[in-house]
Amino acid sequence: MAGIRDVAREAHVGIGTVSRYLNGSGYVSEESRNRIETAIKTLDYQPNELARNLYRNRSGIIGVIVPDLEHPFFSKLSKYIEINLYERNYKTMICNTVGISNREKEYLKMLERNVVDGIIAAAHTLHSEEYLKINRPILAMDKDFNGQIPLVHSDHKKGGALAAEAVIKAGCRNVLQFTTSSKVTTPANQRHIVFEEICTKHGIRVRTVETNWNLFSHEHFRRYMQKEMVKYPDVDGIFSADIPAIACMNVLKQRGYKIPQDVKIIGYDGLDVIYMTDPPLTSVSQDIEKLAECCVDTIIRIIEGKEYESHQVIDVDFVQGKSI
Amino acid sequence: MAGIRDVAREAHVGIGTVSRYLNGSGYVSEESRNRIETAIKTLDYQPNELARNLYRNRSGIIGVIVPDLEHPFFSKLSKYIEINLYERNYKTMICNTVGISNREKEYLKMLERNVVDGIIAAAHTLHSEEYLKINRPILAMDKDFNGQIPLVHSDHKKGGALAAEAVIKAGCRNVLQFTTSSKVTTPANQRHIVFEEICTKHGIRVRTVETNWNLFSHEHFRRYMQKEMVKYPDVDGIFSADIPAIACMNVLKQRGYKIPQDVKIIGYDGLDVIYMTDPPLTSVSQDIEKLAECCVDTIIRIIEGKEYESHQVIDVDFVQGKSI
DNA sequence: TTGAAAGCGCTAACAA
DNA sequence: TTGTTAGCGCTTTCAA
């Protein structure tokens, strides 16, 4: 591995000059410039980022913490975060917490150890305090730290309202919604609060099944729905995230229900899979690309000391399928 | 940010002693040990990995290059690669090439710049030479560099044979298979060669549609299939990767075909989505978890200078759905 | 068992 | 316009 001093020797200049050339800082004569260029080519020199990082005290890497990269929501989010970070000259380090709070904790520690310059946290099995005691760039997606950590999320209130509207229009009288644990203070739960509120106002009976989903495999959801749906043979409407909604649809169809004639289903997230089912799933779609862009822009602002919005809400959209 | 010299001062010992304590290298007296421990706690000291990396000339990061993180195959692969790397004390840097060879090239350069210690390359839009001229740890998934770069892939020959067997058993006479561009030298194409070979031997007509898929959205596949399937109204069997197979299934159903009565479909990959369709898709399943484990184990062996297998093949499995 | 010192490869300040 | 030098924060000799 050729180093900067090899280049300097080869080009018959000082290392300072090479460094200045490399970084475009300060003067380098035409003469030196040419000699350095040829030296770099002949030696196939590549600057060692490890050394640069130490001096600059930054790694140029952003950590992205997600619960499960296999879940289509998070894989799409990660994809667009990576694309946006790349365009801004940052690299992406990924962490799947897979429900293990200790992994989340260890990745937070990467911040203090200068492995990453900032973290976009979209997984939250860990206690809030662990986040709050770290005084470095962190951005939270879909988790409210009482305003103490900048927050980005979809307009889940509108999302809940859109779902309620669809259920009302479809004439449902007796609906079931599946929520994640209400113990977690995520803005994502607001959709279910708003949904219930509006439905109830319209005389629709809403029952809520609170779940504790750490696993995201279809198999898991399917088994869960198989057990759960026998308890509610009389429902005529379902509201839930896309993946469990699809599991639910399949279980219902297996049990002889017609969708949407007997039971209407509305999903949430607007993932690609909603087009693959029969009937295609109607869903409230989150704008994942925009969420990613917003997360990236904000974390970089924080890192670079620019001003930023501490609470940003991204619009959601209604995607008409045929399940409601 | 407290540094090692702060700890040394606080504990009234030399920097060397603190370092020895931190790394468990060399002697540290009980006395010093205790003083250092309290000093670390009071100062909340965290070693700066940037400095360690420079000295050790390693980053502890492995780059993972995939074409599209949003594709369920690659998101699942990435997930398990990250999990395996984490267990081996490595971190994961992700790159989506999204079909842009320049991105792939830039990530390769990270290797030479010491940003990453090794690369697991599962995307191959870039020219082979770019890979071959880099003399650092690289592992290829599903791309044959003439044996010059260690290779991991599924047993695609067996996969093709399993698919052929299913098609024969089901009594198809006239099948269509969708392949990726045959210009790319990926072992994954072997399944189609074997499939055609066996089918032909059994008197089944096989037509092959060569595609150039860089995009992976369902929408894209659906439009593609809509255009393509009108050309082959007489086929009674389809063999293709899961995602296009599902798009195909939906297009066929829309055009009034019954699956599997009129047309039988067999997918490839065994992704979670095969359980979400109606009928559930029969598929040849790749063992993604094992692929990930194998990739991780091998790249680490290469990095650490241990011996390794330069060509590893992972078994595939037949998953019976109801589409054939 | 320890502390002082050299150096990992680079950047930037400084004197020339 | 340039080369020399002093760090960046750590690890590891090496002499005490």
Side-chain angles (χ1 to χ4, degrees), chain A residues 1 9 14 26 40 90 130 132 146 167 180 184 222 230 251 260 266 268 278 286 288 296 308 324:
Chain A
M1 273 289 121
R9 197 183 313 119
I40 286 179
Y90 280 90
E130 300 283 353
L132 294 175
N146 291 316
V167 159
T180 49
V184 187
R222 192 185 186 82
V230 277
V251 167
I266 178 157
Y268 198 93
D278 187 7
Q286 298 195 58
I288 299 183
V296 166
Y308 59 88
I324 192 166

Side-chain angles (χ1 to χ4, degrees), chain A residues 99-170:
Chain A
I100 305 170
S101 61
N102 214 39
R103 296 199 69 188
E104 203 173 333
K105 196 168 167 180
E106 277 207 47
Y107 268 87
L108 277 182
K109 211 166 259 172
M110 305 271 173
L111 253 182
E112 302 182 281
R113 291 169 169 265
N114 294 296
V115 176
V116 294
D117 297 338
I119 280 187
I120 297 172
H124 312 282
T125 31
L126 193 59
H127 237 289
S128 284
E129 298 113 50
E130 300 283 353
Y131 276 89
L132 294 175
K133 74 184 184 196
I134 293 177
N135 189 25
R136 301 221 44 202
I138 301 182
L139 173 74
M141 218 212 77
D142 258 344
K143 161 130 179 169
D144 193 351
F145 290 91
N146 291 316
Q148 292 182 75
I149 288 180
L151 171 62
V152 170
H153 62 83
S154 290
D155 191 344
H156 296 300
K157 287 187 186 168
K158 176 175 172 187
L162 287 173
E165 199 181 303
V167 159
I168 293 162
K169 237 190 235 163

